[in-house]
Amino acid sequence: MLWIAWKMLIGNRVKYLGIVFGVVFAALLIAQQSSIFCGLMSLTVSQIRDVQGPDIWVMDAKVQYVDDIKPLADTELFRVKGVPGVAWAVRFYKGTARARLAEGSYEQMMLLGLDDATLIGAPEQVVLGSIADLRKPDAVIMDDAGYKRIWPGEPYQLGRVFEMNDRRAVLVGVTKASRSFTSFPIVYTRYSQAVAFAPPERKVLSFVLADAEPGVAPEEVCRRIEAQTGLQALTRAQFFRKTIRYYLAKTGIPVNFAVTVLLGFLVGTAIAGQTFYLFTVENIRQFGALKAMGTSNWTILGMVLAQALQVGLIGYGVGVGLAAIFGQVVKGASRLSFFMPWQVLAITGVAVFVIVLLASLLSIRKVLIVDPAIVFRG
Amino acid sequence: MATTVPAHAPATADLAIRVRGVTKEFGSGGAVARALRGVDLDVAYGEMLMLVGPSGCGKTTLVSIIAGTLAPTAGDVVVLGHDLVAMTNGAKVRFRREHVGFVFQAYNLLPALTAAENAAVPLLIAGWRRRDAVEKAADVLDALGLGDRLANLPTELSGGQQQRVAIARALVHEPRLLVCDEPTSALDAENGRITMELIERLAVQPGRAVIVVTHDSRVYSFADRIASMEDGRIEAVEAGPRRGAARG
Ligand SMILES: Nc1ncnc2c1ncn2[C@@H]1O[C@H](COP(=O)(O)OP(=O)(O)O)[C@@H](O)[C@H]1O
Ligand SMILES: [Mg+2]
């Protein structure tokens, strides 16, 4: 009988395509907007993600997200080191600096200062030059996207010189970095150097990066650090979540996307539901005839649901596929961020499922109440 | 109007259909339409009964009740030994599935299915595997002279051919009751005659019963008995021409 339902459905090509179109529209919009949203959210944590190695971030108790810098006194490093369970701890500077280029123009930079001794937090993927060269005087490394932005169209060239806070900076390497929310060029240097590049301030230490001793849970070490120092200590994952939660709660971003997603959901449901209902009405005599010939209401219900699920499946596949293609295209062509984790696929799937269920409700009502005796009427 | 034979089939025969005092009202309150006003009717096994009468006199309502697609307002209906009035809805669905074949004036074929697939629908409803069902349906269509149109869609068939597919569908599961509502009224004389001949040849058999609603006087000759309805009542039951020929 499900086979008959399927035949009925695709036998009516125009209506079939109409229903599928509604579902595709919704799935595409929901998946695409959610992916852009996830892309944006992942941008907000890209700077945490790019610091590989330490599992614990220590910061001022009032810091709410990764770009919310509230400098600590340099002595806090030693207090953190003194907490039992801390294997090691290093300084990390994060701030912005204005660079004066050789051409005379100014550029805002994201300045990251790495521990002088260990260079912990250095980028992983080197395009040109070497991380070790950061130990040379005045040495800085820049991310490739930033380089292309400052010197568009020019080949990578080490030894380029610019100034920050009237101090000379010499480029010794180009690396890859995840794009950040602000999209400033990212400049890496030693901590001691970064402090000199940055505008003079009383306190300069942005974060203490630390790791737990083997056998001690990082969460536990974080608790101890907080108890002992009064600072805020978060694991990487906790800092991720805190940062994302901040953007979710304190910016209009989620609302904007939620509105678009909701719109896609409603419009998709309306198109699919209306076409599906018309399809059912058009076939109501067929359903009546099947009922007269002894098809139970349960089977009829199953047939309509099967029809709904069938268009849901097709619409989901096509919609998500189109969204993925869109993602591939924009990834290459623009600065729009696009990130489609499995959660997006799952959410879109659930939404499509709800859409086809809602869309079939009216139809189900219609077929269940149809009187099999209608088949005798002309 | 003269009643030349008893309204009831011979009492000795085991009755296929026994209808007593059936009324049917549609609507409620001031807008009640009395479609049936007290109908008694018996049909014996092996019999083809024709139900005739002017449009709106209640023929379709009566056969819908007998076929179990409509519940009477009052009265008794026993079909093939089943008390339809006492039956639950689910039991009626099973009853129709197992025991009733339908031929409608409007054919009511599924446009997306081929002739063979359409004829196989009652078997599919009964849970047969598709291949077996279509195979058996093809045999029946072959017997109806449509062996070369098995794979055609209804839109590719003439009206007469579509009605033959509908007959194949009505008989494929070998029901003991065949109900036909105006099966020939959309057909020309030749196709109407062919249709009735096929129904007579395939459906009128011992242990089975056939009711044909018609106001096509050209096909009266196929009836064992003819029941004339008027305004919700059976006014007369007469012997049809077949009675003499078939039973002597
Ligand atoms: N579903 C219905 N609702 C209201 N009135 C109906 C309905 N079905 C039939 N009737 C009325 O019942 C009467 C008998 O109809 P019907 O059995 O179709 O007659 P026939 O088949 O002899 O033309 C008609 O007056 C018709 O209008
Ligand atoms: Mg009628």
Side-chain angles (χ1 to χ4, degrees):
Chain A
M1 295 310 284
L2 296 186
W3 168 78
I4 293 180
W6 180 72
K7 280 276 206 173
M8 282 169 79
L9 184 64
I10 60 170
N12 193 331
R13 190 99 0 126
V14 174
K15 292 278 184 327
Y16 177 60
L17 291 179
I19 308 166
V20 170
F21 173 80
V23 179
V24 167
F25 175 84
L28 170 61
L29 208 61
I30 293 171
Q32 185 245 26
Q33 290 292 309
S34 309
S35 295
I36 292 176
F37 177 73
C38 287
L40 275 180
M41 285 303 116
S42 82
L43 286 191
T44 65
V45 295
S46 66
Q47 303 210 346
I48 308 173
R49 194 174 35 232
D50 276 2
V51 176
Q52 298 283 338
D55 201 29
I56 296 172
W57 291 64
V58 186
M59 64 208 84
D60 185 272
K62 294 211 174 62
V63 168
Q64 299 188 67
Y65 60 104
V66 67
D67 286 306
D68 181 23
I69 304 298
K70 297 194 163 58
L72 309 169
D74 265 3
T75 49
E76 300 289 6
L77 172 67
F78 304 104
R79 298 183 65 206
V80 172
K81 276 184 172 173
V83 173
V86 172
W88 50 258
V90 297
R91 292 178 294 193
F92 188 69
Y93 177 86
K94 177 166 152 44
T96 52
R98 219 158 62 111
R100 186 169 173 275
L101 304 181
E103 299 84 342
S105 59
Y106 288 89
E107 278 287 342
Q108 193 78 10
M109 308 271 186
M110 170 72 61
L111 185 59
L112 299 181
L114 317 175
D115 178 57
D116 286 53
T118 59
L119 297 181
I120 278 171
E124 307 246 292
Q125 286 176 275
V126 179
V127 177
L128 190 64
S130 96
I131 300 289
D133 284 348
L134 270 187
R135 298 211 158 81
K136 292 181 180 168
D138 307 330
V140 297
I141 287 176
M142 190 181 290
D143 73 308
D144 57 345
Y147 187 103
K148 284 181 197 149
R149 198 168 129 167
I150 299 183
W151 296 294
E154 294 184 32
Y156 295 140
Q157 187 189 329
L158 300 184
R160 292 193 92 125
V161 175
F162 52 93
E163 279 179 10
M164 286 181 282
N165 194 24
D166 294 328
R167 299 274 310 240
R168 214 172 85 99
V170 183
L171 190 71
V172 299
V174 178
T175 64
K176 288 224 173 293
S178 305
R179 277 180 42 217
S180 69
F181 204 51
T182 54
S183 72
F184 292 142
I186 300 172
V187 171
Y188 300 89
T189 187
R190 278 172 286 121
Y191 183 86
S192 57
Q193 189 104 43
V195 171
F197 285 144
E201 284 190 78
R202 195 165 57 82
K203 295 196 253 179
V204 288
L205 178 58
S206 317
F207 296 99
V208 173
L209 304 179
D211 215 352
E213 278 172 354
V216 191
E219 291 79 6
E220 169 58 23
V221 176
C222 287
R223 268 192 295 277
R224 290 185 201 164
I225 294 173
E226 294 193 342
Q228 203 162 318
T229 64
L231 300 173
Q232 175 175 215
L234 301 171
T235 65
R236 231 166 101 86
Q238 287 169 342
F239 199 21
F240 262 63
R241 284 199 291 273
K242 190 174 179 89
T243 297
I244 288 180
R245 257 204 307 275
Y246 171 82
Y247 279 95
L248 287 180
K250 297 291 164 64
T251 69
I253 298 171
V255 177
N256 286 336
F257 280 93
V259 165
T260 316
V261 165
L262 191 69
L263 218 67
F265 183 86
L266 293 179
V267 173
T269 308
I271 298 177
Q274 178 167 326
T275 330
F276 197 48
Y277 183 69
L278 288 177
F279 163 79
T280 307
V281 168
E282 206 166 275
N283 290 312
I284 199 65
R285 287 186 71 86
Q286 301 183 37
F287 283 112
L290 290 173
K291 280 172 95 165
M293 289 186 278
T295 310
S296 70
N297 264 342
W298 284 112
T299 305
I300 295 282
L301 177 69
M303 290 175 72
V304 176
L305 284 180
Q307 290 171 338
L309 287 182
Q310 205 262 4
V311 289
L313 228 61
I314 299 262
Y316 173 76
V318 174
V320 165
L322 287 177
I325 291 171
F326 169 87
Q328 286 305 313
V329 170
V330 298
K331 240 177 201 164
S334 83
R335 292 190 58 81
L336 197 61
S337 60
F338 190 93
F339 175 46
M340 196 191 265
W342 66 265
Q343 286 91 339
V344 166
L345 299 180
I347 287 171
T348 310
V350 170
V352 164
F353 187 72
V354 173
I355 285 174
V356 294
L357 279 190
L358 287 178
S360 59
L361 277 186
L362 279 179
S363 297
I364 286 171
R365 204 183 91 92
K366 184 88 187 164
V367 294
L368 289 187
I369 61 173
V370 67
D371 187 346
I374 70 153
V375 288
F376 287 116
R377 311 271 167 214
Chain B
M1 194 177 280
T3 304
T4 55
V5 293
H8 306 151
T12 50
D14 195 7
L15 289 177
I17 298 168
R18 186 171 182 280
V19 172
R20 287 291 177 278
V22 162
T23 63
K24 178 68 186 177
E25 297 173 359
F26 290 107
S28 58
V32 167
R34 296 180 196 284
L36 298 178
R37 298 161 180 269
V39 170
D40 295 346
L41 180 68
D42 289 345
V43 180
Y45 284 111
E47 188 176 31
M48 176 174 330
L49 179 98
M50 272 188 200
L51 208 49
V52 304
S55 183
C57 70
K59 305 183 296 293
T60 296
T61 303
L62 179 56
V63 292
S64 299
I65 289 171
I66 291 170
T69 62
L70 195 67
T73 304
D76 295 325
V77 183
V78 179
V79 179
L80 307 172
H82 298 267
D83 181 354
L84 295 192
V85 175
M87 257 186 202
T88 63
N89 271 332
K92 269 194 200 171
V93 170
R94 276 195 300 282
F95 169 79
R96 296 200 298 266
R97 176 158 69 215
E98 288 165 19
H99 299 303
V100 186
F102 294 91
V103 177
F104 314 104
Q105 175 180 354
Y107 318 139
N108 283 315
L109 300 176
L110 303 187
L113 303 190
T114 66
E117 290 164 351
N118 261 295
V121 164
L123 299 177
L124 295 171
I125 294 174
W128 283 44
R129 281 175 39 214
R130 176 147 54 101
R131 211 164 46 95
D132 299 342
V134 172
E135 212 163 89
K136 166 132 195 231
D139 289 344
V140 178
L141 283 171
D142 211 22
L144 291 168
L146 284 176
D148 56 341
R149 311 311 297 261
L150 298 178
N152 286 86
L153 294 174
T155 48
E156 299 161 350
L157 301 175
S158 71
Q161 288 171 330
Q162 288 187 58
Q163 194 57 301
R164 273 188 276 164
V165 174
I167 292 170
R169 180 178 66 181
L171 297 176
V172 71
H173 55 311
E174 297 168 19
R176 294 171 66 203
L177 172 63
L178 178 65
V179 174
C180 310
D181 195 4
E182 317 250 8
T184 62
S185 60
L187 303 176
D188 60 27
E190 170 71 0
N191 275 306
R193 190 182 53 72
I194 292 172
T195 297
M196 287 309 299
E197 277 174 7
L198 289 169
I199 291 174
E200 180 182 43
R201 175 156 65 81
L202 294 171
V204 181
Q205 289 180 25
R208 300 211 206 173
V210 181
I211 298 189
V212 178
V213 170
T214 188
H215 50 231
D216 181 357
S217 57
R218 297 169 302 189
V219 305
Y220 287 180
S221 57
F222 291 92
D224 287 311
R225 286 188 302 145
I226 301 174
S228 306
M229 287 189 72
E230 187 119 27
D231 198 19
R233 286 196 186 84
I234 293 186
E235 293 290 331
V237 182
E238 300 165 77
R242 228 182 75 88
R243 171 171 289 261
R247 304 211 179 149

